[in-house]
Amino acid sequence: MTKITNLILIGGGNSCIEIIDLIDDINKFNLNNKINIVGILDDNVKKKICGIKVLGKINSFKKYPKFNFFLTVHSYKNRFIRSKIIKNIKQIKKKFINLIHPSSLIGKDVRIGNGNCIYNNCNIFSGSSIEDFNILMPNVSIATKSSLRTNIFIGKNVSLSVNTKIMNNCSVQPNCTLLENISIAEGIRSMPNSLISRSFTKKNILIGGYPARFILNEKK
């Protein structure tokens, strides 16, 4: 018998469309466990998205206690807005499912929290931990003993070496490499194609380059 997970998406932007595509592909692989998108919550969009009805505003999630949820606000530009949404929905955190593409390798000793999105062809090796509401785009590699806190975006083709630690609300853009034993403070955003070869302890800054350096402070 096929198990059905009824899901409501929170956020109706471009990332929502990408998540709908991801769920469609996951459903092709998981014959015995299907995800059914019931609707979308968004403060601005009122029309259908990819044929899926917008049910109301984000704060109306309390009207749907029987459903699971997934947060689809993924842009680095909105990471601090996303953080505020996460604080508002923390009481129902356990209702947020993980979306993990079957083509990704997840080590048997990897700890994964709630509301995470792991796209296709990612490698997450044993001994690593991923807390809540993180996004891993395709072809991300996370070496052992690494940790991601909450609300982190990892762009495609990013490589995290052994014992990498990334704090809340960070955004690591595509094609970056983080070397061993690196720590990234809260709210940091990297430019694409950067080599992060040392730790950065100042919060809410933009870094980038080869090797990466401080560029400017970012407004939270």
Side-chain angles (χ1 to χ4, degrees):
M1 183 175 178
T2 302
K3 178 183 176 182
I4 303 295
T5 299
N6 290 313
L7 186 68
I8 292 176
L9 303 179
I10 296 180
N14 293 328
S15 297
C16 179
I17 298 171
E18 295 177 5
I19 290 298
I20 292 169
D21 287 343
L22 176 63
I23 290 172
D24 285 344
D25 202 44
I26 289 173
N27 281 337
K28 293 177 184 177
F29 289 89
N30 294 339
L31 300 179
N32 298 319
N33 190 348
K34 298 290 186 180
I35 300 171
N36 174 45
I37 304 174
V38 176
I40 298 165
L41 301 180
D42 190 271
D43 289 346
N44 300 310
V45 180
K46 296 181 180 180
K47 60 183 180 180
K48 290 183 178 181
I49 299 172
C50 297
I52 300 170
K53 186 178 179 180
V54 176
L55 302 174
K57 293 187 176 182
I58 291 174
N59 62 9
S60 66
F61 66 87
K62 295 178 182 178
K63 296 181 180 179
Y64 306 97
K66 295 183 179 180
F67 297 102
N68 292 100
F69 297 91
F70 191 84
L71 182 58
T72 59
V73 180
H74 287 183
S75 172
Y76 74 87
K77 298 177 182 178
N78 296 324
R79 68 188 189 280
F80 298 122
I81 295 173
R82 178 180 164 91
S83 179
K84 292 178 181 178
I85 296 173
I86 290 170
K87 289 179 181 178
N88 290 335
I89 59 178
K90 64 181 180 180
Q91 67 268 36
I92 61 164
K93 183 178 74 172
K94 292 184 179 179
K95 300 288 289 183
F96 283 77
I97 68 169
N98 292 315
L99 297 177
I100 303 175
H101 195 279
S103 67
S104 287
L105 183 159
I106 311 294
K108 61 182 179 180
D109 188 31
V110 173
R111 292 173 291 169
I112 300 178
N114 296 91
N116 295 289
C117 181
I118 301 174
Y119 277 82
N120 51 296
N121 302 316
C122 292
N123 296 322
I124 306 171
F125 294 99
S126 292
S128 293
S129 66
I130 298 174
E131 294 190 12
D132 305 312
F133 300 104
N134 299 301
I135 305 112
L136 277 62
M137 298 302 287
N139 306 314
V140 168
S141 179
I142 298 179
T144 186
K145 299 180 182 179
S146 295
S147 64
L148 304 184
R149 290 292 180 88
T150 295
N151 188 30
I152 297 164
F153 176 89
I154 306 292
K156 64 181 182 179
N157 302 321
V158 168
S159 178
L160 277 62
S161 301
V162 173
N163 197 35
T164 299
K165 300 185 187 303
I166 303 180
M167 304 304 288
N168 299 337
N169 307 326
C170 287
S171 179
V172 181
Q173 293 298 294
N175 304 311
C176 288
T177 298
L178 285 75
L179 300 187
E180 294 183 4
N181 305 312
I182 294 298
S183 295
I184 302 298
E186 184 172 325
I188 287 179
R189 176 168 67 95
S190 75
M191 296 294 290
N193 307 305
S194 296
L195 173 65
I196 303 174
S197 57
R198 66 177 180 88
S199 295
F200 287 85
T201 58
K202 187 176 181 180
K203 298 179 180 180
N204 305 326
I205 62 172
L206 175 65
I207 63 173
Y210 206 92
R213 58 179 177 80
F214 169 83
I215 297 177
L216 54 81
N217 294 309
E218 291 205 310
K219 293 183 179 180
K220 184 173 179 181

